[in-house]
Amino acid sequence: MSARDPELAPTFAAIVGEDAVATSPSELLRHGSDESYHQPALPDIVVYPHSTDEVVRVVAECRRLSLPIVPFGAGTSLEGHVTAVLGGISLDMTRMNRIVEVRIPDLDVTVEPGVTRLQLDAALRPEGVFFPVDPGADSTVGGMISTGASGTTTVRYGTMRENVVSLTVVLADGAVVRTRSRARKSSAGYDLTQLFVGAEGTLGVITEAVLRLHPTPEAMTAAVCSFPSVRRAVECVIATIQMGIGVARAELLDEVQMGAVIRRHQLAYAEAPTLFFELHGSRSAVEEQEDELRSLAETFGARDFVRATDERERRRLWEARHRAYEAALAMRPGARGLLTDVCVPLSRLAECVEATRHDIDASGLTAPIVGHAGDGNFHVILVIDPNRPDELDRAKHLSERLVRRAIEMDGTSTGEHGVGIGKRSFLELEHGPAAVELMRSIKRSFDPDNRFNPGKILPDQASADPAYTRAG
Amino acid sequence: MSARDPELAPTFAAIVGEDAVATSPSELLRHGSDESYHQPALPDIVVYPHSTDEVVRVVAECRRLSLPIVPFGAGTSLEGHVTAVLGGISLDMTRMNRIVEVRIPDLDVTVEPGVTRLQLDAALRPEGVFFPVDPGADSTVGGMISTGASGTTTVRYGTMRENVVSLTVVLADGAVVRTRSRARKSSAGYDLTQLFVGAEGTLGVITEAVLRLHPTPEAMTAAVCSFPSVRRAVECVIATIQMGIGVARAELLDEVQMGAVIRRHQLAYAEAPTLFFELHGSRSAVEEQEDELRSLAETFGARDFVRATDERERRRLWEARHRAYEAALAMRPGARGLLTDVCVPLSRLAECVEATRHDIDASGLTAPIVGHAGDGNFHVILVIDPNRPDELDRAKHLSERLVRRAIEMDGTSTGEHGVGIGKRSFLELEHGPAAVELMRSIKRSFDPDNRFNPGKILPDQASADPAYTRAG
């Protein structure tokens, strides 16, 4: 069946129902795009399955018709993950959005992949538990699993990797596998779960997930303070972690980012590198730790140490951090952001941020820096004028230099956004040819016809050929 | 080259040196055995490599000679992992035992795989950091990675899975891959690291590892109390975790195990289900949490709540736990232990332990129960007379019933010991045929000639044929 064949819609409607397929230009455009600077690439059709069984039948139909399948969640990815570079179907999972079961004694929850972060949060809050992983967007659980997402709480609660217990996945041959039991730990065979985490939909379609939950802490307090330099701020974070002060968040905004926020929102902060902390625990423990944190920060030259205990005040204090991206874009009206994402060992973070700031300033671009300092992960928000192609080129060049520097420091080309299209060319530099060949062999063995999200993660071959040559 | 060919020793001596190959009967027996009830199976030769480069050359030689390779660490595994069921070479990694670099700011350490748990602990202690994973034996890091080991601190610090950052591995074709950078988190491609964790040496030979470290807590306190029933003790553990009391250890000994320990070591405990707790944190935080723990435990009927703060007293308090295995064996002089290992969701733990106790009592066997209650993981120490084959049969039967019950409860056949030979037959029951076929496809794609530790993890095919049929 050729692209946009008029038979496509009835074929899939027979499986999912007429109101669960879409071919309108606006739907195709929305599903062929994400929130990045990457060019959209439109699918031939959008299909909204309602169950694992429907996904199995859709996959079978795609096998018969030789159609690529691009799983789609909220479309909030940042490296072109959901673009349908070879056409085919966009498999929109958002109608599979049931919270199947919350189990408080086991501290886990079974969800369908279309459940969004905020939907899950609202359902869990009254139960006294929470799911900690918080990427900026209101992404779906399936998308968060598929990019190996993280966010501001990783320093304490880990990334998606540490918070996914088990997955149900539809494979290329239509088999449905459950990767693992619900036991807290297991040594029974190869770890299939972690293979699908961060696989960006290239190995199968996730149709159900069991996630780990955490008890809501009795108390949460926030603290903000500024430092004479990024280096001193990072040294403070390192010391904090080593002293065992259990920070739940440790976010760094550089002086440019702070300037943007201050001007945009008239906030009373210093225009200097600033750390935003959050502490979770019992009331007395967080108070004690905040005292320790304050005196520790002051030994690293911290000034204007502000703290907040009650919910409203805490949110207000964190406002600058929450509005960082918006404030960055407001630096140049009409601009859009190109968001980088590297992660380095903590001991190299200050050096990496400083060299990046030097690069930015030399390039003449506008670009605040914001980072999950506790993890060694940071983003540069390159604020570029979409009508000036030279700016996009310069931004890409700068981003590439940054990635190479991070890899040289034994870091990674992407801490949390994933590879998608945007980071494929760095995969071999980061992992070496033998490791990339191993990844390729996994892809071939899981998805021999390159049906699932072709053109993502793996460089070259995968993007060139719809079905690349099988080995042996 | 046929088995025990006289040319084998000089062939490998040319790579590793004459004092690094062994063919004496005692060396072959030691390397063909572990600490379990499984029959030894002897390798043709033992080879002790000194470097990654030597491992590459040994693997190349084995490829040329069509010899299986069984990686070997301390030989402390419990499911026949290191038995050379098809002969070949036992690759003893214990001479690769350097602690390469401790990096305090990054809280990680690079080690060779032959480093043992206690060796690592001794090296880290003066640095104010520790590696938390503590299986009972003084196993090697390579062995702990390969079985996905855990221990008493998993409830707080996780298993090997959460504490391995990156691995260097020699593959079947001789390629050397590093699975990942040292960044704290990464979304750059498929997770190769976790594939090798728990792979029991069947996918490649680990020659270096980066492990996560944790700061030594300011204070550690211990608490012990007994309960009217296993159920009440487990309910107490569940409530403790839900209240966010950050227990670092929560170990359960049932009344039979307590009886054994009390009689063996003249300890002043009650012969009742007993929990051993440990709390880590600041001095004031652990004191506060211990108070909370005590009043919580008492609502579940706990009696004789004893606490200990200083190091010596804490160790004394935990003595009963540390000596559980020894005390169990002492129940029947001359006996040996068959150790089971299942893990279930916490909500099913009490039911699973109770049903198991009922089974044991009905069988007439002697068998204390000891568990990592915070993880839902427990062991039955079946104390059997090696001269009575019917006891081994009954013990195996009981163990099989236990595994089936755990799987029915959405648990796993092995929480931490691994599959080896002993749990292969349950793999399909636990994961389903499609998931096992996926594991098989991973094995084929990583190790097409079934060179690495053949006959382990995967059922049937792998054990029957030295090189099983390739798909396609």
Side-chain angles (χ1 to χ4, degrees):
Chain A
M1 202 174 282
S2 71
R4 320 243 170 128
D5 189 299
E7 284 304 302
L8 270 187
T11 299
F12 288 104
I15 300 170
V16 296
E18 274 184 29
D19 62 345
V21 296
T23 53
S24 72
S26 65
E27 276 276 66
L28 297 182
L29 179 62
R30 182 168 77 83
H31 284 84
S33 320
D34 63 8
E35 293 188 356
S36 74
Y37 64 93
H38 293 285
Q39 283 298 320
L42 273 48
D44 297 311
I45 187 169
V46 182
V47 178
Y48 294 86
H50 304 89
S51 66
T52 299
D53 183 55
E54 284 186 4
V55 173
V56 169
R57 290 160 67 202
V58 168
V59 168
E61 203 55 41
C62 290
R63 207 163 51 237
R64 195 176 67 81
L65 301 172
S66 290
L67 281 176
I69 299 168
V70 184
F72 188 95
T76 53
S77 61
L78 290 165
E79 292 292 354
H81 298 73
V82 297
T83 57
V85 292
L86 300 176
I89 76 164
S90 176
L91 195 65
D92 186 315
M93 306 302 288
T94 54
R95 293 194 193 170
M96 289 181 68
N97 67 344
R98 287 187 313 137
I99 295 170
V100 180
E101 195 180 359
V102 181
R103 297 174 212 87
I104 299 299
D106 295 324
L107 284 176
D108 68 24
V109 59
T110 301
V111 296
E112 290 184 331
V115 167
T116 71
R117 184 169 73 80
L118 298 178
Q119 177 194 353
L120 183 61
D121 193 56
L124 296 176
R125 202 176 281 262
E127 310 274 351
V129 293
F130 74 109
F131 185 70
V133 187
D134 66 339
D138 187 22
S139 42
T140 62
V141 166
M144 290 162 71
I145 295 168
S146 296
T147 51
S150 49
T152 62
T153 63
T154 302
V155 63
R156 169 79 169 255
Y157 299 100
T159 71
M160 287 305 284
R161 295 209 173 278
E162 289 79 29
N163 288 286
V164 173
V165 176
S166 171
L167 298 171
T168 302
V169 185
V170 177
L171 302 179
D173 64 2
V176 179
V177 300
R178 186 159 177 249
T179 57
R180 197 182 167 290
S181 77
R182 281 204 304 111
R184 195 47 126 204
K185 62 185 195 182
S186 174
S187 289
Y190 303 142
D191 190 335
L192 300 177
T193 313
Q194 296 297 336
L195 262 184
F196 291 103
V197 177
E200 302 182 8
T202 63
L203 299 180
V205 181
I206 297 166
T207 60
E208 198 168 90
V210 180
L211 307 176
R212 257 187 101 153
L213 302 177
H214 299 262
T216 308
E218 184 196 356
M220 297 189 234
T221 70
V224 177
C225 52
S226 62
F227 289 83
S229 66
V230 162
R231 180 165 296 271
R232 297 298 271 166
V234 169
E235 284 167 358
C236 176
V237 171
I238 291 174
T240 303
I241 293 170
Q242 260 161 57
M243 279 186 63
I245 298 176
V247 285
R249 294 183 157 105
E251 298 282 296
L252 171 69
L253 277 64
D254 85 342
E255 62 279 12
V256 178
Q257 179 67 71
M258 285 305 292
V261 174
I262 290 162
R263 273 184 287 283
R264 173 72 173 168
H265 301 291
Q266 288 87 47
L267 297 175
Y269 285 112
E271 202 165 327
T274 300
L275 287 177
F276 289 73
F277 287 107
E278 200 168 88
L279 293 158
H280 293 179
S282 73
R283 210 163 302 280
S284 57
V286 297
E287 272 171 28
E288 179 192 43
Q289 294 204 318
E290 211 163 54
D291 289 341
E292 279 174 30
L293 186 57
R294 180 181 195 139
S295 60
L296 186 66
E298 281 167 358
T299 67
F300 290 97
R303 277 170 309 185
D304 315 314
F305 194 94
V306 194
R307 58 213 277 173
T309 307
D310 82 76
E311 171 83 7
R312 213 172 54 90
E313 217 188 332
R314 189 164 56 82
R315 284 181 186 273
R316 197 191 52 74
L317 205 64
W318 268 73
E319 202 179 357
R321 171 63 189 95
H322 292 313
R323 297 194 167 198
Y325 188 68
E326 176 196 341
L329 292 189
M331 292 172 87
R332 298 181 68 191
R336 63 179 303 188
L338 185 156
L339 209 57
T340 69
D341 166 41
V342 297
C343 188
V344 294
L346 222 43
S347 60
R348 308 300 298 273
L349 178 60
E351 184 185 349
C352 195
V353 171
E354 282 172 354
T356 304
R357 170 52 58 209
H358 183 269
D359 270 8
I360 296 166
D361 294 347
S363 76
L365 290 166
T366 302
I369 293 176
V370 55
H372 310 308
D375 317 322
N377 182 209
F378 70 95
H379 310 298
V380 180
I381 309 173
L382 289 147
V383 184
I384 54 178
D385 182 341
N387 300 316
R388 293 185 51 184
D390 67 301
E391 287 201 2
L392 182 59
D393 286 347
R394 274 189 291 154
K396 283 185 186 168
H397 176 72
L398 197 138
S399 169
E400 183 174 327
R401 266 177 71 87
L402 172 54
V403 167
R404 289 181 186 278
R405 182 179 297 122
I407 292 172
E408 266 166 35
M409 291 178 169
D410 206 355
T412 177
S413 59
T414 168
E416 53 185 14
H417 295 168
V419 178
I421 293 175
K423 295 284 173 73
R424 287 189 312 152
S425 59
F426 303 113
L427 207 66
E428 202 161 298
L429 183 68
E430 179 170 342
H431 297 291
V436 172
E437 182 46 41
L438 209 49
M439 292 185 194
R440 245 188 246 292
S441 76
I442 292 168
K443 169 72 173 171
R444 276 195 301 264
S445 104
F446 278 56
D447 182 23
D449 298 321
N450 196 17
R451 170 108 33 247
F452 291 126
N453 207 3
K456 309 302 159 54
I457 297 186
L458 293 164
D460 311 317
Q461 291 169 262
S463 65
D465 314 313
Y468 43 69
T469 319
R470 300 186 209 184
Chain B
M1 199 174 279
S2 68
R4 319 239 173 131
D5 190 299
E7 285 304 301
L8 270 187
T11 299
F12 289 103
I15 300 171
V16 295
E18 273 185 32
D19 61 346
V21 296
T23 52
S24 71
S26 65
E27 276 276 64
L28 297 182
L29 179 61
R30 181 168 78 82
H31 284 83
S33 320
D34 64 8
E35 293 188 354
S36 73
Y37 65 92
H38 293 285
Q39 282 298 320
L42 272 48
D44 297 310
I45 187 168
V46 182
V47 178
Y48 294 86
H50 305 88
S51 66
T52 299
D53 182 56
E54 284 187 3
V55 172
V56 169
R57 290 160 67 202
V58 168
V59 168
E61 203 56 42
C62 289
R63 206 163 53 238
R64 193 175 68 81
L65 302 172
S66 290
L67 281 176
I69 299 168
V70 184
F72 188 94
T76 54
S77 61
L78 291 165
E79 292 294 353
H81 298 74
V82 297
T83 56
V85 291
L86 300 177
I89 75 164
S90 177
L91 196 65
D92 186 314
M93 306 302 288
T94 54
R95 293 194 193 170
M96 290 181 68
N97 67 343
R98 287 186 314 137
I99 295 170
V100 180
E101 195 180 359
V102 182
R103 298 175 212 85
I104 299 299
D106 295 324
L107 285 175
D108 67 24
V109 59
T110 301
V111 296
E112 291 183 330
V115 167
T116 70
R117 183 169 73 79
L118 298 177
Q119 177 194 354
L120 183 60
D121 193 57
L124 296 176
R125 202 174 281 262
E127 310 274 350
V129 293
F130 74 108
F131 184 70
V133 187
D134 66 338
D138 186 21
S139 40
T140 62
V141 166
M144 289 162 71
I145 294 168
S146 296
T147 50
S150 49
T152 62
T153 64
T154 302
V155 63
R156 168 80 169 255
Y157 299 99
T159 71
M160 286 306 284
R161 296 209 174 277
E162 289 80 29
N163 287 287
V164 173
V165 175
S166 172
L167 298 171
T168 303
V169 184
V170 177
L171 302 179
D173 65 2
V176 180
V177 300
R178 185 158 177 250
T179 57
R180 197 183 167 291
S181 76
R182 280 204 305 112
R184 195 47 124 204
K185 62 185 195 182
S186 175
S187 289
Y190 304 141
D191 190 335
L192 300 178
T193 314
Q194 296 297 336
L195 261 184
F196 292 104
V197 178
E200 304 182 6
T202 63
L203 300 180
V205 181
I206 297 166
T207 61
E208 199 169 89
V210 180
L211 306 177
R212 257 187 101 155
L213 301 177
H214 299 262
T216 309
E218 184 195 357
M220 297 189 234
T221 68
V224 177
C225 52
S226 62
F227 289 83
S229 66
V230 162
R231 180 165 295 271
R232 297 299 271 166
V234 169
E235 284 168 357
C236 176
V237 171
I238 292 174
T240 302
I241 292 170
Q242 260 162 58
M243 280 188 61
I245 299 176
V247 284
R249 294 184 156 105
E251 298 281 298
L252 171 70
L253 276 66
D254 85 341
E255 63 278 12
V256 178
Q257 179 68 70
M258 286 304 293
V261 174
I262 291 163
R263 271 185 287 284
R264 173 72 173 168
H265 301 292
Q266 288 87 46
L267 297 176
Y269 285 112
E271 202 164 328
T274 301
L275 286 176
F276 289 72
F277 287 106
E278 199 167 87
L279 293 158
H280 293 179
S282 73
R283 210 164 302 281
S284 57
V286 298
E287 272 170 27
E288 180 192 44
Q289 294 204 319
E290 211 163 55
D291 288 341
E292 279 174 32
L293 186 58
R294 181 183 192 137
S295 60
L296 186 67
E298 282 167 359
T299 67
F300 290 97
R303 277 170 307 184
D304 315 315
F305 193 94
V306 194
R307 58 212 279 173
T309 306
D310 82 75
E311 171 84 7
R312 211 172 55 91
E313 216 187 333
R314 190 164 54 83
R315 284 182 187 273
R316 197 191 51 73
L317 205 62
W318 268 73
E319 200 179 358
R321 171 63 188 94
H322 292 313
R323 298 195 168 197
Y325 188 69
E326 177 196 339
L329 292 189
M331 291 172 87
R332 297 180 70 190
R336 64 181 301 187
L338 186 157
L339 209 56
T340 69
D341 166 40
V342 297
C343 188
V344 294
L346 223 43
S347 60
R348 308 300 296 273
L349 179 60
E351 185 186 347
C352 195
V353 171
E354 283 173 354
T356 303
R357 169 53 57 209
H358 182 268
D359 270 9
I360 296 167
D361 294 346
S363 76
L365 290 166
T366 302
I369 294 176
V370 54
H372 310 309
D375 316 321
N377 182 208
F378 69 95
H379 310 297
V380 180
I381 309 173
L382 289 146
V383 184
I384 53 179
D385 182 341
N387 300 317
R388 293 185 49 186
D390 67 302
E391 287 201 2
L392 182 59
D393 286 347
R394 275 189 290 156
K396 283 186 185 169
H397 176 72
L398 196 137
S399 169
E400 183 174 328
R401 265 178 71 88
L402 172 55
V403 168
R404 289 181 187 278
R405 181 179 297 124
I407 292 172
E408 265 166 38
M409 291 179 169
D410 206 356
T412 176
S413 58
T414 167
E416 55 184 13
H417 295 169
V419 178
I421 293 176
K423 295 283 173 74
R424 288 189 312 153
S425 59
F426 303 112
L427 207 66
E428 203 162 296
L429 183 69
E430 178 169 341
H431 297 292
V436 171
E437 181 47 41
L438 209 49
M439 293 185 193
R440 245 188 247 291
S441 77
I442 292 168
K443 169 71 172 173
R444 276 193 301 264
S445 107
F446 278 55
D447 182 24
D449 298 321
N450 196 17
R451 170 108 33 247
F452 290 126
N453 207 3
K456 310 301 158 57
I457 297 187
L458 293 163
D460 311 317
Q461 291 170 263
S463 65
D465 315 312
Y468 44 69
T469 317
R470 300 184 209 185

